[in-house]
Amino acid sequence: MRGLQGKNVILTGGASGIGQAISLRLGEEGCNVGIFDLNGEGANATAEKIRAAGGTANGYAVDVSDYDAVASAVAAFESDCGPVDGLVNNAGWDKSMPFLDTDLELWHKVVAINMYGPLNLCHVILKGMSERGGGRVVNISSDAGRVGSSGEAVYAACKGGLIAFSKTMSRELARKNITLNTVCPGPTNTPLLAEQGPKLVAALERAVPMRRVAEPEDYPGLVSFFLSDDASYITGQTISVSGGLTMHG
Ligand SMILES: NC(=O)c1ccc[n+]([C@@H]2O[C@H](COP(=O)([O-])OP(=O)(O)OC[C@H]3O[C@@H](n4cnc5c(N)ncnc54)[C@H](O)[C@@H]3O)[C@@H](O)[C@H]2O)c1
């Protein structure tokens, strides 16, 4: 990818799954990667893998739903590496159950991680990008946010909200040379999906035209592309990576 060498990129949720795969790729592309995760040990382990492969990375233990914690971690990253060039909002969480069985406590947790998380990171980081006149944001949403997903009503609402937020911010900040694009994973072989149980996974495999769920390695190429110079005229877009499960005109 063009233009990624030496770029300072913060990624949330890089201790596991899709975020870990994206982090490793960004390290290979020559980015200085800041891995923000609730699981600080896991974030450090991913950073260590990047360093072992010759790249530059640091892990930071941070809860993305806590605005002050996010602001402190961004300040720590910027003092380690310099101003943030790119942000990947990837951390996410859900507990699947019918909406009528959910309670307020679950709603608050799902909204705090999946909606407030990206809002916090964007609010803290986009101010600096705007002042400097450039930056890239990739938001990891979900096909649930485009077409809905039974058992994931509040999560799907957050993911749909993230798509609308990205489009709005891409309009507000286009003249500042800041792009925001959204990647929507379909069902993916990570701990988040494993929690749903083998029966559901088998049903999803039958539903996907390519007859398999995604692997975390299916995402880093597109995310790197959106962060690269090759994508400088692309903003406000939403792309599904789901083996043909979701097709939009
Ligand atoms: N796996 C799927 O089938 C699937 C499908 C659609 C969308 N997604 C989305 O892809 C993204 C990555 O999911 P994954 O499957 O790799 O999940 P995962 O559970 O493997 O990894 C998520 C990471 O986010 C971190 N995290 C959770 N809450 C956090 C918080 N409050 N602060 C900081 N870090 C936190 C976790 O510690 C973990 O390392 C999520 O946004 C998810 O919603 C996943």
Side-chain angles (χ1 to χ4, degrees):
M1 297 289 167
R2 291 184 181 160
L4 288 178
Q5 187 72 39
K7 286 279 158 64
N8 297 326
V9 179
I10 288 176
L11 178 143
T12 66
S16 172
I18 294 170
Q20 184 181 61
I22 297 169
S23 300
L24 297 176
R25 173 66 176 271
L26 294 178
E28 278 172 31
E29 296 282 355
C31 298
N32 306 316
V33 194
I35 299 157
F36 285 20
D37 204 295
L38 197 57
N39 173 0
E41 251 177 54
N44 284 330
T46 302
E48 182 49 44
K49 279 189 188 168
I50 292 173
R51 291 195 295 268
T56 312
N58 285 307
Y60 302 83
V62 52
D63 179 351
V64 296
S65 67
D66 178 340
Y67 187 95
D68 292 338
V70 167
S72 304
V74 170
F77 174 81
E78 292 198 321
S79 104
D80 291 340
C81 298
V84 183
D85 300 303
L87 164 65
V88 182
N89 279 307
N90 165 81
W93 181 83
D94 194 23
K95 185 174 177 187
S96 183
M97 66 173 81
F99 177 67
L100 297 183
D101 295 341
T102 60
D103 58 22
L104 270 168
E105 196 185 341
L106 181 72
W107 302 355
H108 282 307
K109 182 167 177 184
V110 170
V111 174
I113 297 171
N114 298 288
M115 194 71 252
Y116 273 88
L119 295 182
N120 290 339
L121 270 295
C122 282
H123 197 257
V124 170
I125 290 173
L126 287 171
K127 279 180 188 158
M129 286 183 176
S130 175
E131 281 159 19
R132 293 186 295 277
R136 295 297 165 84
V137 179
V138 181
N139 287 320
I140 308 298
S141 174
S142 170
D143 269 357
R146 304 186 95 177
V147 296
S149 173
S150 297
E152 297 191 303
V154 181
Y155 170 86
C158 294
K159 294 298 193 179
L162 185 55
I163 294 169
F165 173 72
S166 302
K167 289 179 180 174
T168 301
M169 292 309 296
S170 69
R171 290 181 189 277
E172 285 192 14
L173 295 173
R175 275 170 294 167
K176 297 286 186 184
N177 190 31
I178 295 170
T179 68
L180 293 95
N181 290 290
T182 306
V183 174
C184 291
T188 307
N189 182 19
T190 72
L192 193 62
L193 184 67
E195 277 172 31
Q196 318 288 322
K199 254 182 143 178
L200 181 72
V201 175
L204 288 167
E205 279 166 350
R206 285 195 299 276
V208 174
M210 287 190 179
R211 288 292 187 274
R212 68 170 178 88
V213 297
E215 294 298 325
E217 290 70 26
D218 286 313
Y219 302 95
L222 180 59
V223 174
S224 303
F225 169 70
F226 277 140
L227 293 169
S228 79
D229 287 351
D230 288 319
S232 54
Y233 196 56
I234 302 174
T235 195
Q237 303 305 306
T238 308
I239 298 194
S240 288
V241 177
S242 51
L245 182 62
T246 307
M247 298 188 191
H248 280 256

